[in-house]
Amino acid sequence: EAVMVSGIAYDKDQCRITVRQVPDRPGIAAAIFTPLAAAKILVDMIIQNASLDGKTDMTFTICRGDLDQTLEILEGVKAELGAGEVLYDTQVCKVSAIGVGMRNHSGVAAKMFTTLKKENINILMISTSEIKITCLIEEKYTELAVRTLHDVFELAAGQ
Amino acid sequence: EAVMVSGIAYDKDQCRITVRQVPDRPGIAAAIFTPLAAAKILVDMIIQNASLDGKTDMTFTICRGDLDQTLEILEGVKAELGAGEVLYDTQVCKVSAIGVGMRNHSGVAAKMFTTLKKENINILMISTSEIKITCLIEEKYTELAVRTLHDVFELAAGQ
Ligand SMILES: C[C@@H](O)[C@H](N)C(=O)O
Ligand SMILES: C[C@@H](O)[C@H](N)C(=O)O
């Protein structure tokens, strides 16, 4: 019943890439990630929301060291996909509340989002699973976000 | 090194809700999920992609039984948020490839997306973590998706 948050994790070596306005039809996700996998680029978060009007944005995060190669691969793919521009943001950090049994995690999610709001930290992206609620935020707020989340979830530093 | 997919999970009791065009400023995510948590609505996936022009879509999945109450709560919030319409889709299914060590999961993701493409199954939403690559698809393709993913990842039925 009680959902326990057991730690706060963060990763500053993240770069967000968004392939804008990809057609929402079978094969597009495969066309983007097959060449990245072939180049052994470590893709971390992948987020794609539901489309409207047959187009959606495909976003994923990579390590900053892979940015140039990733952009080069995507330039090649984008024309063939009929996608719009490829945007990227290197000043981001991934912050996650980790727990177990977070299947009913709406309370934990609400608490995490409220904590960030109180510090005026904008949430750029959200992705959740049963063990993690992950927010992408601007890198400059990393220390503030991690410290206040530790306090709110009553965790010792380093958890 | 080798990323092992240990199972394919699926959940047909899913309903996708999208709050369209929410302002991308601190407090919005908190304003949506706090009342849902207070009503004890079990929120499963939460997906929010990066915004353009200061607006983004907030999508999450719930059990179908919670649809009416969720829509009612969101109607109350949407005006205060300045959000656009609330859309929903009850004919969806969440299919996930589960593994360990999927930090380098771009190969597994590419393989999953390619498998769905070959069956002409459109991927409506994507969300990933180190242990899961999750795709939302139309419910009618559930059996086909689960069976072909088992084959491609060489899993026994029931894994
Ligand atoms: C947008 C992308 O996910 C597309 N729907 C596909 O199936 O590949
Ligand atoms: C869109 C929503 O995530 C908003 N950026 C917030 O911080 O609440």
Side-chain angles (χ1 to χ4, degrees):
Chain A
E1 183 49 68
V3 173
M4 299 301 297
V5 171
S6 56
I8 304 298
Y10 68 95
D11 184 353
K12 283 198 197 183
D13 182 13
Q14 292 266 322
C15 180
R16 167 185 63 92
I17 312 276
T18 296
V19 186
R20 287 267 299 145
Q21 299 301 283
V22 298
D24 185 13
R25 59 165 193 263
I28 299 295
I32 291 171
F33 292 98
T34 300
L36 293 175
K40 305 239 182 297
I41 289 175
L42 206 153
V43 170
D44 191 2
M45 291 166 89
I46 301 174
I47 284 191
Q48 175 214 310
N49 209 334
S51 73
L52 222 77
D53 320 319
K55 298 243 174 194
T56 186
D57 295 346
M58 185 73 71
T59 294
F60 57 95
T61 61
I62 52 165
C63 303
R64 285 170 202 172
D66 287 334
L67 179 59
D68 292 346
Q69 190 182 9
T70 296
L71 292 178
E72 195 175 330
I73 290 171
L74 291 177
E75 272 315 300
V77 185
K78 141 183 146 174
E80 148 203 354
L81 291 184
E85 40 180 354
V86 175
L87 304 176
Y88 63 92
D89 184 350
T90 57
Q91 307 304 316
V92 295
C93 171
K94 189 175 77 155
V95 182
S96 306
I98 315 240
V100 286
M102 301 231 286
R103 173 124 172 79
N104 185 5
H105 58 220
S106 41
V108 175
K111 196 165 173 177
M112 182 176 186
F113 303 153
T114 300
T115 304
L116 296 173
K117 158 200 172 175
K118 287 184 174 163
E119 304 304 324
N120 223 20
I121 297 171
N122 196 36
I123 302 168
L124 307 173
M125 282 164 55
I126 299 170
S127 173
T128 65
S129 73
E130 286 88 349
I131 61 161
K132 263 208 309 185
I133 298 169
T134 297
C135 291
L136 204 75
I137 61 172
E138 289 166 73
E139 192 199 1
K140 61 187 180 182
Y141 296 120
T142 305
E143 187 278 334
L144 176 61
V146 172
R147 176 162 40 83
T148 51
L149 287 167
H150 270 109
D151 291 345
V152 156
F153 289 111
E154 298 176 31
L155 296 167
Q159 257 183 301
Chain B
E1 185 46 69
V3 173
M4 299 300 298
V5 171
S6 56
I8 304 298
Y10 69 95
D11 184 352
K12 284 198 198 182
D13 182 12
Q14 294 265 323
C15 180
R16 168 187 62 94
I17 312 273
T18 296
V19 186
R20 288 266 300 144
Q21 300 299 287
V22 297
D24 184 16
R25 60 165 194 263
I28 299 296
I32 292 171
F33 292 98
T34 300
L36 293 174
K40 305 239 181 296
I41 288 174
L42 206 153
V43 169
D44 191 1
M45 290 166 90
I46 300 174
I47 283 188
Q48 175 214 310
N49 210 333
S51 73
L52 222 76
D53 321 323
K55 297 243 175 196
T56 185
D57 295 345
M58 185 73 70
T59 294
F60 57 95
T61 62
I62 52 166
C63 303
R64 287 171 199 170
D66 287 334
L67 178 60
D68 291 347
Q69 191 181 8
T70 297
L71 291 177
E72 196 175 331
I73 291 172
L74 291 177
E75 272 315 300
V77 185
K78 145 183 144 175
E80 147 201 356
L81 291 184
E85 40 181 353
V86 175
L87 304 176
Y88 64 92
D89 184 349
T90 57
Q91 308 301 319
V92 295
C93 172
K94 189 175 76 155
V95 182
S96 306
I98 316 244
V100 285
M102 301 231 288
R103 174 124 171 78
N104 185 7
H105 58 220
S106 42
V108 176
K111 196 165 172 177
M112 182 175 186
F113 303 153
T114 300
T115 304
L116 295 173
K117 158 200 171 173
K118 287 185 174 160
E119 305 303 326
N120 223 21
I121 297 172
N122 196 37
I123 302 169
L124 308 173
M125 283 165 54
I126 299 170
S127 172
T128 65
S129 73
E130 287 89 348
I131 61 162
K132 258 202 322 182
I133 298 169
T134 296
C135 292
L136 204 75
I137 62 172
E138 288 166 74
E139 190 196 3
K140 62 187 179 183
Y141 296 120
T142 305
E143 186 278 334
L144 176 61
V146 172
R147 177 162 39 84
T148 51
L149 287 167
H150 270 110
D151 292 345
V152 156
F153 289 110
E154 297 175 33
L155 297 167
Q159 257 183 299

